[in-house]
Amino acid sequence: MPSEGTTSTKESRGRRALLDLLKQEGPMDAGTLAGRLGVTDMAVRQHLTRLEEERLVTFEAEQRPLGRPAKLWRLTPAADRFFPDGHADLTRDLLEALRATFGAAGVDALIAHRGEIQATAYAREVDAGAPLEWRLEALAALRTQEGYMAAVERQEDGGFLLLENHCPICAAARSCSGLCAAELSLFRRVLGDDVEVEREDHILAGARRCAYRVAEKPK
C-alpha cells in the first residue's frame, strides 16, 4: 500500500497534468479529460471537485443532442499562478519607471533593443533556408523554453497556426502594448521575407491564447 506521501505526490502530478491540459487546449468535459490523461472519469471528477473548491477551475454547460448538457471545464484567472509570470510585477514597475523617466521614446527604444537581441538569438536556432514547418517548430521550441507553451498546427489550406497557450509577460504587455507589436514583428523577421504572419487571437483581447496564422507568400 503506497504511503501518504506517495499518494500525495501522485495526486499533485495528476492535478498539474489536468491544469496543463486545460491551459494548452481549452475547455473540455470530464470524459475527454480522462481519456487524454489516461485515467478514470472518477479520478478526473475528484480532481475537478477539489480544483473548483479552490476556484482554480469553473465550467459552462454545453447542450448536447442527447442527454443532459455537458460541463465544459476551463481554468479561472486564479490558475495563472501555476504558470510562469516572468516576474510580472517587477517588469511592469520597471516599464512604468522607464516611461516616467525617459518618456514613450525611451520605452520604444528599450523594446527595439530587446527585439534585436531576440532576433539575433532566434536566428541561430531557426534555419532561414529550411522548410516553413521546420522553421516554425524551431521557433515554437524557443518560445516554449521561455514559458509561452507554444505549438504548431498545420491547417487544411496548407498554412500553419503558431500557438502560444500562455503569456509569461502578460502583466507587462497590458501596460505596454508595444511588447505585443514587437512580438509580431519579431516573428515576421525570424521566419523570413517569404512568409506572411498575422495575429488571429490575442490573450490581451480576451482570447484563451495567442494565435498567429503563418503561410508562405504567393510566388
Side-chain angles (χ1 to χ4, degrees):
M1 181 175 179
S3 66
E4 182 176 345
T6 302
T7 302
S8 177
T9 299
K10 182 177 180 180
E11 179 178 350
S12 177
R13 289 174 178 170
R15 284 160 52 94
R16 182 63 205 225
L18 191 154
L19 290 170
D20 286 347
L21 186 57
L22 288 177
K23 181 68 173 177
Q24 295 182 55
E25 302 198 19
M28 295 184 190
D29 60 40
T32 302
L33 284 166
R36 294 296 303 278
L37 295 172
V39 299
T40 65
D41 287 7
M42 181 178 295
V44 163
R45 290 193 173 92
Q46 288 175 345
H47 286 318
L48 290 171
T49 296
R50 295 190 181 99
L51 292 170
E52 185 181 26
E53 291 172 350
E54 297 172 30
R55 300 184 179 180
L56 297 175
V57 299
T58 187
F59 68 86
E60 295 178 358
E62 180 183 71
Q63 191 63 50
R64 298 288 171 87
L66 298 174
R68 296 179 298 176
K71 291 182 178 180
L72 292 185
W73 293 90
R74 61 176 175 80
L75 301 183
T76 68
D80 286 347
R81 71 176 188 266
F82 289 92
F83 303 94
D85 67 2
H87 306 292
D89 292 338
L90 175 60
T91 305
R92 184 177 58 244
D93 291 346
L94 287 174
L95 284 170
E96 291 299 330
L98 181 66
R99 183 180 289 111
T101 305
F102 299 104
V107 176
D108 291 343
L110 175 66
I111 293 173
H113 180 63
R114 175 177 180 265
E116 288 296 325
I117 294 174
Q118 286 183 298
T120 300
Y122 286 12
R124 290 195 291 265
E125 304 295 333
V126 180
D127 182 357
L132 177 55
E133 186 171 10
W134 294 9
R135 282 178 266 172
L136 282 168
E137 292 289 355
L139 178 58
L142 290 169
R143 300 296 285 180
T144 294
Q145 290 174 13
E146 296 175 8
Y148 288 87
M149 300 176 71
V152 178
E153 288 185 1
R154 178 182 286 275
Q155 303 299 288
E156 293 183 357
D157 61 5
F160 300 89
L161 282 182
L162 174 63
L163 306 173
E164 293 187 334
N165 294 294
H166 179 62
C167 178
I169 61 166
C170 193
R174 290 186 189 281
S175 65
C176 183
S177 60
L179 288 169
C180 292
E183 181 178 73
L184 179 57
S185 177
L186 173 67
F187 292 165
R188 287 171 172 166
R189 178 175 174 179
V190 171
L191 291 173
D193 294 336
D194 61 331
V195 173
E196 295 178 333
V197 184
E198 298 295 337
R199 182 187 284 119
E200 288 200 343
D201 293 325
H202 196 191
I203 291 174
L204 294 190
R208 180 182 65 80
R209 63 190 182 185
C210 288
Y212 299 84
R213 179 166 291 277
V214 184
E216 294 180 341
K217 293 179 179 178
K219 296 181 180 179

